[in-house]
Amino acid sequence: VSCLCGSAPCLLCGCCPSAKNSTVSRLLFTFFLFLGTLVSIIMIIPGVEKELHKLPGFCEGSGSVLGVQTRVDCSSFLGHKAVYRMGFAMAAFFFLFAAIMVCVRSSKDPRAAVQNGFWFFKFLVLVGITVGAFYIPDGAFTSVWFYFGVVGSFLFILIQLVLLIDFAHSWSQLWLRNAGETNAKGWYAALCIVTFIFYATSIAAIVLLYVYYTKPEGCTEGKVLISINLILCLIVSAVSILPKIQDAQPHSGLLQASLITLYTIYITWSALANVPTQACNPTLLVRNSTGSATATQPLTTWWDAPSIMGLIIFILCTLFISVRSSDHLQVNKLMLTEESAASAGSEAAAVESGLHRAYDNEQDGVSYNYTFFHLCLLLAALYIMMTLTNWYRPDESLQVLTSPWTAVWVKICSSWAGLLLYLWTLVAPLVLPDRDFS
């Protein structure tokens, strides 16, 4: 019972070192998100419906078992419709907990027990919402929910960019600090090598984008978007090594700029993969609602490469949100994460006792904002929903998915927002000299 309802799930803590109760809770909520993602992936894999029809008595028209004929339409819970409903269920689940956890200040609040325990009942709630989502009539649900997914995905991309910029600054500071403490030139060499690899990969990717997503005549939009992002990446790279920037932020440099550049090129690639013009987009597919795909060229995969990369980045960023607080005070304030004062003492007590358990590090104050955390997972659920459907929009008949320009401009605008955000982190100490940006 303690495993299912208690504040410290014994199965997780029994095989891991002593952990903070807040970290365990975040990981378990993230596990729910990943579980829903796995179900969505299974639902959208081509050929699943064909395999289900092979099971006698499972789907309508697949025969009978003991004389009982089933009336389950397997196509109703497969394909993009199923992914949209699974995305709606996960979003509703996390929105429910975001609303319940508003203004929780410490684990002494009775609602904190709901956040950190009762996992079996939370799983039942998620299953119940998921089952209910599949009873939503088609109508305008899929078309309207597409735009909710677009807005949520745009916001989650911005969160990804904040985490990426913070990671890049922390990475550079760590290696420069190690180089200064050990007087070893190997750290500087590693910085140079990684920076070179990032820029070389970005240049190669830009060349490939020009080759495969543009034509000598036409494809003007693709040429313009690639060129604009290339120029913006060159600008932020040049700004990062200006003498005044270096004086204000000694740890800023080309490592951060190269990582931001690489991510910007990835976003550009992902945007071009949604251009709805076959001549300018060799990866453009026309898919029907059950997951099959048609195109002028033979197909070997369901997801294109940008979507696979998006899935990997989604997993990394979601885990990052769940287990780590930033090294920078500004990012902690923005992400509403902050280690509580009781954390250090509780951690020391747990280590001394030698027990493998989750200890309460939130008695004097929460180490992260519960509501904001659930909103992040809500946005992550919408982002993975759009990623699994390649940001394709269903037509009026809800039978065919098409790639809209909406997806292209959302991704491009998010890349511009990321570059501007990184540029602000460089120039902010000069613009606001009275504030502490250390």
Side-chain angles (χ1 to χ4, degrees):
V1 176
S2 63
C3 285
L4 300 180
C5 305
S7 62
C10 57
L11 180 62
L12 180 63
C13 300
C15 58
C16 299
S18 297
K20 300 171 183 176
N21 196 60
S22 60
T23 303
V24 173
S25 298
R26 283 181 283 182
L27 284 175
L28 287 173
F29 275 114
T30 303
F31 170 76
F32 283 172
L33 177 63
F34 288 167
L35 183 62
T37 300
L38 178 61
V39 173
S40 298
I41 291 175
I42 294 173
M43 287 176 171
I44 205 170
I45 293 177
V48 171
E49 182 179 3
K50 182 179 179 181
E51 296 299 323
L52 290 179
H53 275 285
K54 294 181 180 179
L55 300 176
F58 190 81
C59 296
E60 184 177 9
S62 62
S64 61
V65 176
L66 301 177
V68 178
Q69 181 69 41
T70 182
R71 295 185 178 181
V72 177
D73 182 11
C74 287
S75 63
S76 64
F77 54 86
L78 294 172
H80 81 275
K81 294 180 181 179
V83 175
Y84 275 33
R85 280 161 173 73
M86 195 69 217
F88 174 83
M90 291 191 292
F93 175 78
F94 292 120
F95 179 78
L96 173 64
F97 279 92
I100 293 175
M101 298 301 160
V102 171
C103 296
V104 174
R105 302 300 182 188
S106 73
S107 60
K108 297 176 182 178
D109 190 309
R111 291 175 293 169
V114 179
Q115 171 75 6
N116 298 318
F118 301 98
W119 296 104
F120 177 71
F121 298 105
K122 290 176 185 175
F123 178 75
L124 292 182
V125 170
L126 178 59
V127 172
I129 295 176
T130 302
V131 172
F134 281 87
Y135 283 95
I136 299 176
D138 282 338
F141 168 76
T142 306
S143 301
V144 173
W145 191 243
F146 166 81
Y147 291 101
F148 278 90
V150 167
V151 175
S153 300
F154 174 78
L155 296 176
F156 186 73
I157 290 176
L158 294 183
I159 293 176
Q160 286 183 342
L161 289 165
V162 171
L163 298 177
L164 182 68
I165 294 172
D166 174 53
F167 172 75
H169 281 297
S170 299
W171 186 2
S172 178
Q173 289 178 10
L174 175 63
W175 282 16
L176 290 175
R177 184 168 59 249
N178 290 341
E181 292 175 353
T182 62
N183 293 323
K185 296 183 179 180
W187 291 106
Y188 294 107
L191 277 172
C192 294
I193 292 173
V194 172
T195 301
F196 173 79
I197 292 174
F198 285 165
Y199 274 122
T201 305
S202 301
I203 293 173
I206 290 172
V207 172
L208 292 176
L209 290 181
Y210 276 118
V211 171
Y212 288 101
Y213 289 91
T214 64
K215 300 294 181 183
E217 297 180 359
C219 301
T220 305
E221 298 89 350
K223 295 175 183 177
V224 171
L225 295 179
I226 298 172
S227 300
I228 289 176
N229 278 1
L230 174 59
I231 294 172
L232 292 177
C233 289
L234 291 175
I235 291 175
V236 297
S237 298
V239 171
S240 67
I241 56 175
L242 291 176
K244 290 187 177 181
I245 299 296
Q246 290 292 309
D247 292 339
Q249 295 195 71
H251 291 105
S252 68
L254 290 177
L255 176 63
Q256 299 97 311
S258 65
L259 184 58
I260 299 301
T261 297
L262 184 60
Y263 185 79
T264 300
I265 300 305
Y266 156 71
I267 293 293
T268 307
W269 174 32
S270 179
L272 294 177
N274 280 108
V275 172
T277 306
Q278 185 73 55
C280 304
N281 183 5
T283 59
L284 182 67
L285 303 174
V286 178
R287 296 180 170 88
N288 63 31
S289 62
T290 58
S292 61
T294 59
T296 58
Q297 299 178 355
L299 301 175
T300 56
T301 59
W302 159 246
W303 296 300
D304 52 12
S307 296
I308 295 175
M309 286 297 301
L311 180 61
I312 295 173
I313 294 173
F314 153 78
I315 293 174
L316 295 177
C317 286
T318 306
L319 289 175
F320 191 92
I321 292 172
S322 301
V323 301
R324 182 180 183 274
S325 294
S326 174
D327 295 333
H328 299 94
L329 180 61
Q330 289 79 15
V331 177
N332 278 333
K333 288 181 178 179
L334 180 62
M335 301 299 294
L336 301 180
T337 57
E338 177 181 13
E339 291 303 321
S340 64
S343 175
S346 301
E347 183 174 4
V351 173
E352 289 179 1
S353 63
L355 298 177
H356 296 282
R357 61 186 180 85
Y359 57 89
D360 187 359
N361 64 314
E362 298 183 308
Q363 293 182 357
D364 294 337
V366 295
S367 62
Y368 65 101
N369 186 288
Y370 291 170
T371 295
F372 185 77
F373 172 72
H374 288 298
L375 290 178
C376 286
L377 294 188
L378 185 158
L379 298 178
L382 295 177
Y383 173 81
I384 199 61
M385 179 187 76
M386 300 304 295
T387 299
L388 293 180
T389 56
N390 293 86
W391 293 66
Y392 282 21
R393 182 177 60 197
D395 63 357
E396 295 180 357
S397 65
L398 301 179
Q399 296 298 316
V400 178
L401 293 173
T402 57
S403 184
W405 277 104
T406 304
V408 178
W409 287 111
V410 166
K411 294 179 180 181
I412 288 297
C413 290
S414 67
S415 70
W416 293 343
L419 289 170
L420 290 175
L421 182 60
Y422 173 64
L423 184 63
W424 170 249
T425 65
L426 296 177
V427 302
L430 299 178
V431 177
L432 303 173
D434 296 333
R435 292 188 59 183
D436 181 18
F437 290 94
S438 57

